[in-house]
Amino acid sequence: MMRRKRHPHNLDPDGLHRPSLTARSKSKKELQREARMAYYAIGCFVLVGVALLLIFRYHHHNISIDDGREVDEEGMPIQPAEAAIGGTVGDANGNKARIQDVISIIESNKNDGVSANKKLRQQSPQSKATSATETVSADAAAPAIPAKCEVKEKSLHPRYVTVIVPSVVNPNGRAARLKAISETWGCQARAIYVVHDVSEYPDAQGNLLGDGTSVYPKLLVVPPEITAEEGVKRLYHVIKEVTESELDPDFAFFVNDHTFVIPEHACCYTSGRDPREHLYAGHAMRNKVDAFAFNSGAAGYFLSRATMQGLVDRWGQHDPSCITEGASKWHQGNPGLLTAKCMSEALNAKAIDTRDVHGWHRFHAFGLIRTVTGHVDEWYQNKHKDLDEFLGPDEAHHHKLGTLYECCSAETISFHYVEHSETAALYRIMEDVKSNPGISDAQLGGLVKESWPKGFRNLGGYSHGLPTEKTEQWDGMLTIIRRISQPMEKNCAGC
């Protein structure tokens, strides 16, 4: 009987050599090790790429649109004025224009109320025949707006003042924001800066609340026993000081230094209202845990003389609804909420619906761009749910936030998360539209592009850049800028 010859374990049936199991196992391990090394290499390349992207994205020179100087991330000069760059900006054709030329387009002449753009349009047809996005030279920049000014009051007590408390966001940029407010809307809105030391805004250190003048901005200095962390005590002190000062305004508008205010709209909102009646008006929202609506402190809120005096009285009486003792930790850490609770329960002064006849908001807790595009935080949207219980039914909008053409009333009073560069840009754009309501979309778009701050450092962490041109969001932005820049249709008594 013949036996079939067995092949060695390392030969295949054809007699060819094949690797042993040990060899094959070793090869598999090597492949796995090589694969891991490849993954590690790819990961390293990705990390290096991200690092380089961040470096090139954020490590660059920032040029102030105000004077052409190089500035740091807070907009403060980092070189002397003599060394300021005579910077250039290239257009699509490679042409260059001086930074002063850009300023001439966005700077308004405060002495005669005529903007640089309007002067430009009054020139000869030959000089007008340029592209709307081109910058046109000017002999000199318009004079700077004074850091403080005197308001001519129409009565013994001002119709309203704007009380500006410190923002908890980007405190290092506060000095730049206060300066921008002083140079734009602050004077007309009768700005009162709440500070813990006059060194926080030395330009107004001789201009304190109660000095008997109508010069603004004024400083309201918080006593040293109240620290910056004690928000509830500070708000109590501020309201008491405002209502008991010789100013004794009919109304006070409470905001923080990240808020942009349109003074004429703020004053018109108080027109026809009686300061002897309670008023708590702003952008109403709600928390699930509270049985009352409250107004966004970011968007700002109005209190009448009667409401401020009522709060002071209740605090003096140690009303349980109004004091921190016995209040929840949540309310102790949120002075605006505790004050809203006090007004709702002790004074029956409740948050009201302040939207216009179209259902469009007057007070906004985000900046212009995010408000128009609707790119706001989810928590903000959620706080508009189930507001019917407090503000009444809303069949058309259900109290939801509007976007694009339905975001903002023509009587818009405030935006928030506005850094100093954006404050200057928005103010100048609005002034230009006011002086030339017939400005074309192309001209307005060019002005906005030249004026608006660019990059994270200049915009701030909570603001967004301009939307893409020739989109619905871009057109919506231009429409809203026109809308909020138009003169008020009604005659506002007391303003």
Side-chain angles (χ1 to χ4, degrees):
M1 182 176 179
M2 296 182 63
R3 294 183 179 181
R4 186 175 179 179
K5 186 177 179 180
R6 297 181 62 186
H7 296 283
H9 69 274
N10 61 339
L11 294 178
D12 62 18
D14 297 323
L16 300 176
H17 183 273
R18 64 180 180 183
S20 66
L21 291 176
T22 304
R24 279 186 293 171
S25 175
K26 181 179 179 181
S27 177
K28 184 177 181 181
K29 290 180 180 179
E30 288 178 348
L31 288 173
Q32 290 176 340
R33 183 166 58 252
E34 290 175 358
R36 284 196 298 270
M37 292 178 66
Y39 291 145
Y40 291 152
I42 293 172
C44 290
F45 278 120
V46 170
L47 290 175
V48 170
V50 171
L52 290 173
L53 178 64
L54 291 174
I55 290 173
F56 286 118
R57 173 67 178 82
Y58 296 113
H59 185 72
H60 61 276
H61 296 284
N62 299 290
I63 303 299
S64 169
I65 63 172
D66 298 319
D67 54 17
R69 283 190 275 177
E70 188 176 355
V71 295
D72 62 16
E73 64 182 85
E74 303 301 343
M76 304 306 291
I78 59 176
Q79 62 178 14
E82 303 81 31
I85 301 172
T88 59
V89 180
D91 62 15
N93 299 319
N95 297 325
K96 296 183 177 181
R98 295 169 305 163
I99 286 180
Q100 289 297 331
D101 297 341
V102 177
I103 298 172
S104 71
I105 284 184
I106 63 175
E107 187 69 65
S108 298
N109 187 322
K110 304 305 294 183
N111 293 331
D112 59 13
V114 181
S115 69
N117 259 12
K118 186 171 183 180
K119 289 180 178 179
L120 201 57
R121 289 183 287 274
Q122 291 172 346
Q123 294 175 356
S124 63
Q126 290 80 5
S127 62
K128 291 182 187 179
T130 58
S131 168
T133 58
E134 288 181 338
T135 57
V136 182
S137 300
D139 293 333
I145 303 169
K148 56 185 176 181
C149 62
E150 185 169 4
V151 178
K152 295 181 179 179
E153 301 292 0
K154 297 182 179 181
S155 63
L156 179 62
H157 305 292
R159 185 61 174 166
Y160 83 103
V161 297
T162 304
V163 182
I164 304 172
V165 301
S167 171
V168 297
V169 176
N170 186 18
N172 292 333
R174 186 170 189 241
R177 291 193 295 272
L178 294 181
K179 184 177 185 295
I181 291 171
S182 297
E183 294 177 348
T184 53
W185 57 264
C187 181
Q188 191 179 352
R190 302 179 185 86
I192 298 175
Y193 296 166
V194 176
V195 298
H196 287 264
D197 191 279
V198 294
S199 62
E200 294 177 38
Y201 193 71
D203 287 353
Q205 60 183 345
N207 214 33
L208 304 179
L209 180 66
D211 62 2
T213 71
S214 297
V215 177
Y216 294 90
K218 295 186 181 296
L219 298 185
L220 193 165
V221 184
V222 179
E225 58 267 23
I226 300 177
T227 66
E229 290 73 28
E230 296 177 295
V232 174
K233 289 184 178 180
R234 182 173 66 189
L235 183 59
Y236 289 0
H237 174 80
V238 167
I239 293 178
K240 186 174 186 294
E241 287 294 303
V242 170
T243 194
E244 293 182 353
S245 71
E246 60 182 23
L247 284 178
D248 189 22
D250 293 344
F251 302 91
F253 186 35
F254 291 85
V255 301
N256 67 45
D257 54 60
H258 261 107
T259 311
F260 181 93
V261 177
I262 305 177
E264 54 269 39
H265 295 182
C267 191
C268 279
Y269 186 76
T270 67
S271 181
R273 299 182 185 273
D274 190 343
R276 296 171 296 182
E277 297 178 355
H278 284 305
L279 179 69
Y280 175 44
H283 188 117
M285 303 188 295
R286 70 166 300 172
N287 287 316
K288 293 181 179 180
V289 298
D290 292 323
F292 57 87
F294 69 96
N295 287 316
S296 163
Y301 54 85
F302 276 104
L303 299 180
S304 66
R305 180 186 291 122
T307 303
M308 289 187 286
Q309 188 58 58
L311 286 170
V312 172
D313 292 342
R314 293 293 180 172
W315 293 329
Q317 298 166 8
H318 297 282
D319 189 302
S321 299
C322 303
I323 57 177
T324 55
E325 290 79 3
S328 67
K329 289 185 177 180
W330 168 250
H331 287 125
Q332 289 182 34
N334 292 272
L337 285 178
L338 186 58
T339 305
K341 180 175 182 290
C342 175
M343 288 186 284
S344 177
E345 297 179 1
L347 301 179
N348 198 32
K350 302 180 184 295
I352 60 176
D353 190 346
T354 60
R355 297 174 299 168
D356 66 11
V357 293
H358 305 289
W360 302 340
H361 280 282
R362 288 182 169 94
F363 304 82
H364 308 282
F366 283 83
L368 170 69
I369 306 303
R370 296 186 69 176
T371 301
V372 171
T373 61
H375 296 159
V376 296
D377 293 349
E378 185 177 2
W379 66 263
Y380 183 53
Q381 298 180 27
N382 290 339
K383 289 188 182 297
H384 293 81
K385 294 180 179 179
D386 303 321
L387 276 171
D388 291 18
E389 179 183 351
F390 304 120
L391 304 182
D394 176 18
E395 298 296 334
H397 304 283
H398 304 288
H399 297 288
K400 292 181 180 179
L401 295 165
T403 60
L404 297 173
Y405 311 101
E406 297 185 345
C407 74
C408 310
S409 169
E411 300 173 2
T412 283
I413 294 171
S414 64
F415 292 104
H416 191 245
Y417 291 131
V418 182
E419 280 291 349
H420 68 282
S421 296
E422 189 173 333
T423 292
L426 181 55
Y427 182 83
R428 289 168 180 148
I429 293 168
M430 291 181 62
E431 289 295 296
D432 201 86
V433 175
K434 289 176 188 177
S435 66
N436 181 37
I439 185 173
S440 69
D441 280 352
Q443 290 172 320
L444 179 56
L447 176 63
V448 170
K449 287 192 298 181
E450 295 291 356
S451 308
W452 210 259
K454 300 173 180 65
F456 176 84
R457 292 180 174 181
N458 293 320
L459 283 169
Y462 290 86
S463 191
H464 285 183
L466 296 175
T468 304
E469 289 186 73
K470 298 180 180 180
T471 62
E472 190 175 25
Q473 293 180 342
W474 175 266
D475 293 341
M477 176 196 68
L478 296 183
T479 297
I480 297 304
I481 290 175
R482 289 184 185 280
R483 182 185 294 170
I484 65 178
S485 302
Q486 298 304 316
M488 298 292 290
E489 295 181 358
K490 62 182 181 181
N491 183 23
C492 303
C495 298

